[in-house]
Amino acid sequence: MSGLRIIQKGFNYSQDGPGNRLVYHLQGCNLRCPWCANPEGLSLEGCLMRGKDPESGRVREKHSCKEYSLEELYQEVMRSRMLFFEGGGVTFTGGEPTMQFAPLKELMERLRDQGIPIAMENNGTHPRLTELLPLIDYLILDFKHPDAEIHQKVTGASNERIRENLEKILNLGRQVALRIPLVHGFNDTPEALAGFLAFFKSNPMDQATLEILPYHEYGRDKWQQCGMEYLIKDGFVSEQQVAAFEGAFREAGIQVIHT
């Protein structure tokens, strides 16, 4: 692969790292979370999306991604640097950005040499994740479930590598913004909460923040457009459940944030 396959790109403020950021959603993911909001990004090859045009009613087809050369992306970022206000920069997310590890690292190195602030949102599974830490100013990492077997059953992969990478990052004293997508029937149980707390209490959390992301169905239509079945039937959690989780984490001394 000579470039990067991108699902979508554009500016977003504060939700994908601090400040105003140029966000690249990279194609491909090694997990199969059934609530994924970007299912068109699951396969590294992408998918053919079919949907009706809201005005004409005609069925239209488009491929879910486009490949850009590293030079194209580098020049785009450099042209955009005046827009990186309030601590902004570029963010790589997905899909799972580390699925395209080699070209991603090369682009990040070029941007780092130019002083561009870099954020990356990832699922924590890549065995070489810590190699990228010197290139990242703001790291966002999902921690979906503390139990390896449940994580495997629901997402298609164990959480052992995630826990290992996260332990390394926390014990290095590196900044990390943790996110827990809270999904009914998956990780909203007292057992899951106890597992999260046990992990956090066994590691230094002074450089970590934690955000609870309540389940939503923003990606449901895109699953259908990609010809895939949306399997979540009842994933919503209540405000009281979110507040209970946040309260337990705060009581444990963890900095809970909202973006």
Side-chain angles (χ1 to χ4, degrees), residues 130 141 160-173 199 202-204:
T130 54
L141 195 151
E160 292 179 5
R161 181 72 69 178
I162 300 169
R163 292 172 67 102
E164 179 183 322
N165 280 329
L166 183 51
E167 285 177 351
K168 289 179 181 178
I169 291 165
L170 292 171
N171 283 279
L172 284 171
F199 178 86
S202 66
N203 289 281

Side-chain angles (χ1 to χ4, degrees), residues 2-258:
S2 58
L4 285 172
R5 294 175 183 174
I6 305 291
I7 308 168
Q8 60 183 9
K9 55 190 178 76
F11 275 89
N12 194 13
Y13 181 77
S14 80
Q15 291 185 332
D16 298 284
N20 198 44
R21 310 195 72 87
L22 178 55
V23 182
Y24 291 103
H25 289 260
L26 275 62
Q27 186 76 36
C29 186
N30 58 324
L31 300 184
R32 290 296 180 268
C33 304
W35 57 83
C36 182
N38 296 309
E40 73 277 25
L42 294 178
S43 169
L44 191 57
E45 303 303 320
C47 76
L48 186 63
M49 301 182 70
R50 296 180 175 87
K52 285 187 177 181
D53 183 276
E55 296 183 0
S56 67
R58 296 178 180 175
V59 175
R60 297 187 179 275
E61 296 181 344
K62 68 173 182 177
H63 199 267
S64 64
C65 69
K66 178 180 177 181
E67 185 167 331
Y68 297 85
S69 72
L70 298 188
E71 183 63 24
E72 286 180 287
L73 298 174
Y74 173 79
Q75 292 297 336
E76 182 173 52
V77 173
M78 297 309 293
R79 291 194 304 270
S80 304
R81 64 190 310 173
M82 295 299 293
L83 299 174
F84 298 155
F85 54 82
E86 295 187 23
V90 62
T91 296
F92 297 102
T93 181
E96 168 51 41
T98 60
M99 290 285 288
Q100 302 183 59
F101 189 91
L104 172 63
K105 184 179 180 182
E106 181 178 342
L107 179 58
M108 291 172 71
E109 288 172 340
R110 292 186 64 184
L111 297 177
R112 188 69 170 178
D113 287 344
Q114 297 299 319
I116 300 296
I118 298 172
M120 186 177 76
E121 180 178 2
N122 76 114
N123 63 25
T125 60
H126 201 282
R128 297 170 59 191
L129 174 60
T130 54
E131 287 183 31
L132 300 178
L133 293 181
L135 305 173
I136 297 172
D137 299 284
Y138 192 83
L139 179 65
I140 304 168
L141 195 151
D142 281 1
F143 190 20
K144 304 179 196 300
H145 202 290
D147 183 87
E149 291 186 5
I150 296 175
H151 197 282
Q152 173 84 47
K153 180 179 178 180
V154 176
T155 72
S158 171
N159 70 357
E160 292 179 5
R161 181 72 69 178
I162 300 169
R163 292 172 67 102
E164 179 183 322
N165 280 329
L166 183 51
E167 285 177 351
K168 289 179 181 178
I169 291 165
L170 292 171
N171 283 279
L172 284 171
R174 281 297 309 262
Q175 168 279 331
V176 59
L178 296 171
R179 289 178 174 175
I180 297 176
L182 198 61
V183 182
H184 177 59
F186 171 57
N187 61 358
D188 65 334
T189 64
E191 293 79 10
L193 177 57
F196 282 126
L197 288 170
F199 178 86
F200 295 147
K201 289 177 180 179
S202 66
N203 289 281
M205 295 290 291
D206 51 303
Q207 296 300 313
T209 60
L210 180 63
E211 183 172 18
I212 302 294
L213 303 178
Y215 167 81
H216 59 73
E217 293 188 340
Y218 298 157
R220 176 186 284 272
D221 290 344
K222 291 193 288 185
W223 280 80
Q224 297 171 349
Q225 291 169 15
C226 285
M228 299 183 292
E229 183 181 2
Y230 190 78
L231 297 175
I232 299 290
K233 304 302 182 185
D234 180 22
F236 290 102
V237 294
S238 67
E239 293 182 2
Q240 291 78 12
Q241 286 176 293
V242 174
F245 267 65
E246 290 182 342
F249 291 134
R250 288 194 179 99
E251 188 175 340
I254 300 167
Q255 183 183 354
V256 177
I257 65 170
H258 299 95

